[in-house]
Amino acid sequence: MRVPTVKAERAIRTRQRVLLAAAEIFDEAGYENAAVSQIVERAGLTLGALYFHFGSKQGLAEALMNAQPATIEPHLESTGLQRLVDITLVWADRMKRDPILRAGVRLAVEQGSHGMNDASSFEEWRALMRSHLDVARSDGELREEVDPDRLARFVVGACTGMQVYSNLATKRADLMERVCDMWDLLLPRVASASVVGDIQVGPTRVPVS
Amino acid sequence: MRVPTVKAERAIRTRQRVLLAAAEIFDEAGYENAAVSQIVERAGLTLGALYFHFGSKQGLAEALMNAQPATIEPHLESTGLQRLVDITLVWADRMKRDPILRAGVRLAVEQGSHGMNDASSFEEWRALMRSHLDVARSDGELREEVDPDRLARFVVGACTGMQVYSNLATKRADLMERVCDMWDLLLPRVASASVVGDIQVGPTRVPVS
């Protein structure tokens, strides 16, 4: 692993400051109503720094949409099917308080309304979930008839819609419960008989931070 | 049943013309970019007629969000769990070609970006699905541990997100396949052993029209 230079470290911090400021404003106001000048002001930086790192307002939105898995995965140690469950539980928990995650989800769902049309954040989630399901398969955790790629596609879609509905109905207060309901429905169907009793589902799976 | 008068019939037709024109424009352009003047022009009516029937642009958006189940239910004759499946299959099929349905779904999902915050179209779908699940329960079609209200909530959320993802990834070409995948995952888990083999899933369930 290369040790970042002081200059590279500063660039990473600057990039992160812009991302956070943009996330807060996109999350509050939506893409259309967010002004680049407002983002720059909140980040305490220059317009030049924003354009240097992200190219444009749309580049910033794309970076936020694609930052989602990176905010979840570092918190987890489980493998296979348990990790898939844990990803969704940590996601449900962080959606309540992480503006970068919230902005990423909101921008991905509403992108049609601001002229973007990019499934890549969904496909990235799907590939990540699929990779954990491939581990589950080789560890004998999945029933034979389960297709890991289709299951991953379904879980990504279901989480997306649960979030939209939960946000409108309860400001996400019941999002965790909805994710647990999903696993209550899916696990007995997808987990092999030898592991189904071992997979844990619930808010206690979320690491304290 | 009261026979509508000529005047009432004309009002219904006018309302429908405005709804269709608005749906086409919201579906193409999104809420923010849709101009009321453009809707009126496409409907071949006056601005007065639009405001008489819907009050405002937002009133029009609300009417479209809430028109969704009414465009699906009349096509179906099944009951219980099969009807729940059929609702989602007909929905997947009509999303490809019914602008009123497409606009309703788009407006419901993106409403945060134009200052609305109304879960009622989601709750209406949920109540409808729940009512069919109550029939399924009393006909012995549901496993005992299944909670009809939570299952309805999950299906509404899952369909919402599947649609967003399918639209971005394939312009809804795979939406029907995704809905079938959902039932392949859910049915063995929720249907009682005596009926699970009888529930039919697939595009052939969609009535020709």
Side-chain angles (χ1 to χ4, degrees):
Chain A
M1 198 185 184
R2 265 173 55 201
V3 179
T5 62
V6 174
K7 200 175 158 193
E9 267 180 2
R10 200 189 306 134
I12 291 168
R13 276 202 308 275
T14 302
R15 196 175 182 281
Q16 202 57 25
R17 261 164 74 187
V18 178
L19 268 187
L20 183 61
E24 287 173 1
I25 289 167
F26 283 137
D27 179 41
E28 290 158 16
Y31 183 84
E32 293 296 348
N33 300 320
V36 169
S37 60
Q38 202 184 359
I39 294 168
V40 164
E41 195 186 336
R42 181 151 333 173
L45 293 166
T46 64
L47 207 56
L50 186 148
Y51 286 118
F52 173 77
H53 285 280
F54 299 99
S56 64
K57 182 174 170 184
Q58 187 171 326
L60 203 41
E62 280 162 7
L64 283 165
M65 290 197 284
N66 294 319
Q68 296 174 54
T71 70
I72 303 289
E73 284 267 291
H75 300 279
L76 297 170
E77 282 179 0
S78 45
T79 61
L81 206 41
Q82 181 69 62
R83 188 173 184 100
L84 191 68
V85 170
D86 288 348
I87 287 173
T88 61
L89 297 173
V90 171
W91 172 82
D93 178 63
R94 304 230 162 222
M95 279 297 287
K96 280 186 288 184
R97 53 209 169 80
D98 184 334
I100 291 191
L101 192 56
R102 268 207 304 270
V105 172
R106 177 173 182 170
L107 289 164
V109 167
E110 294 179 358
Q111 58 182 301
S113 70
H114 39 267
M116 277 190 268
N117 187 39
D118 179 2
S120 59
S121 66
F122 295 86
E123 299 296 4
E124 198 182 339
W125 273 119
R126 178 186 185 171
L128 178 71
M129 291 188 177
R130 200 224 144 113
S131 72
H132 295 302
L133 284 168
D134 285 339
V135 173
R137 156 102 339 128
S138 63
D139 287 352
E141 294 181 357
L142 283 189
R143 280 168 178 259
E144 210 170 308
E145 69 272 23
V146 173
D147 177 328
D149 193 54
R150 284 180 183 235
L151 177 57
R153 179 172 77 172
F154 178 69
V155 172
V156 173
C159 285
T160 301
M162 271 191 274
Q163 193 287 127
V164 169
Y165 185 2
S166 166
N167 186 29
L168 289 169
T170 70
K171 300 259 172 220
R172 303 192 185 93
D174 67 4
L175 183 56
M176 177 64 77
E177 183 187 277
R178 288 175 189 241
V179 171
C180 294
D181 281 354
M182 175 177 75
W183 292 115
D184 177 56
L185 286 164
L186 292 183
L187 279 177
R189 173 75 178 111
V190 303
S192 59
S194 59
V195 301
V196 68
D198 300 331
I199 309 287
Q200 293 169 42
V201 179
T204 53
R205 292 292 308 167
V206 177
V208 181
S209 70
Chain B
M1 195 183 183
R2 264 174 57 200
V3 179
T5 62
V6 175
K7 201 174 157 193
E9 269 180 0
R10 200 188 305 133
I12 291 167
R13 276 202 308 273
T14 301
R15 197 173 181 281
Q16 202 57 25
R17 260 165 74 187
V18 178
L19 267 187
L20 182 61
E24 288 173 359
I25 289 167
F26 284 136
D27 179 40
E28 291 159 17
Y31 183 84
E32 293 297 349
N33 300 320
V36 170
S37 59
Q38 202 185 359
I39 294 168
V40 165
E41 196 186 334
R42 182 152 331 173
L45 292 165
T46 64
L47 205 57
L50 185 148
Y51 287 117
F52 174 76
H53 285 281
F54 299 99
S56 64
K57 182 174 169 183
Q58 187 171 324
L60 203 42
E62 281 163 5
L64 281 166
M65 291 197 283
N66 294 319
Q68 296 174 53
T71 71
I72 303 289
E73 284 267 291
H75 300 278
L76 297 171
E77 283 180 0
S78 44
T79 61
L81 206 41
Q82 181 70 61
R83 189 174 184 101
L84 192 67
V85 171
D86 289 348
I87 286 173
T88 61
L89 297 172
V90 170
W91 172 82
D93 178 64
R94 307 234 156 216
M95 279 298 286
K96 280 186 289 186
R97 52 208 168 79
D98 184 334
I100 290 189
L101 192 56
R102 270 206 304 272
V105 172
R106 177 173 183 170
L107 289 164
V109 166
E110 293 180 358
Q111 58 182 301
S113 69
H114 40 267
M116 277 189 268
N117 188 40
D118 179 3
S120 59
S121 66
F122 295 85
E123 299 296 5
E124 198 182 338
W125 273 118
R126 178 186 186 171
L128 178 70
M129 290 188 177
R130 200 227 143 111
S131 72
H132 295 302
L133 284 168
D134 286 338
V135 173
R137 156 104 336 132
S138 64
D139 287 353
E141 294 182 355
L142 283 189
R143 279 167 178 261
E144 210 168 307
E145 71 271 24
V146 173
D147 177 328
D149 194 51
R150 284 179 183 235
L151 177 57
R153 179 172 76 171
F154 178 69
V155 172
V156 173
C159 285
T160 300
M162 272 192 272
Q163 193 287 126
V164 170
Y165 186 2
S166 166
N167 187 30
L168 288 168
T170 69
K171 300 254 170 224
R172 302 192 187 94
D174 66 5
L175 183 56
M176 176 65 76
E177 183 187 276
R178 288 175 188 241
V179 171
C180 294
D181 281 355
M182 175 178 75
W183 291 116
D184 177 55
L185 287 164
L186 291 182
L187 279 177
R189 173 74 179 108
V190 304
S192 59
S194 59
V195 300
V196 68
D198 301 331
I199 309 289
Q200 293 170 41
V201 179
T204 53
R205 292 293 308 169
V206 176
V208 182
S209 71

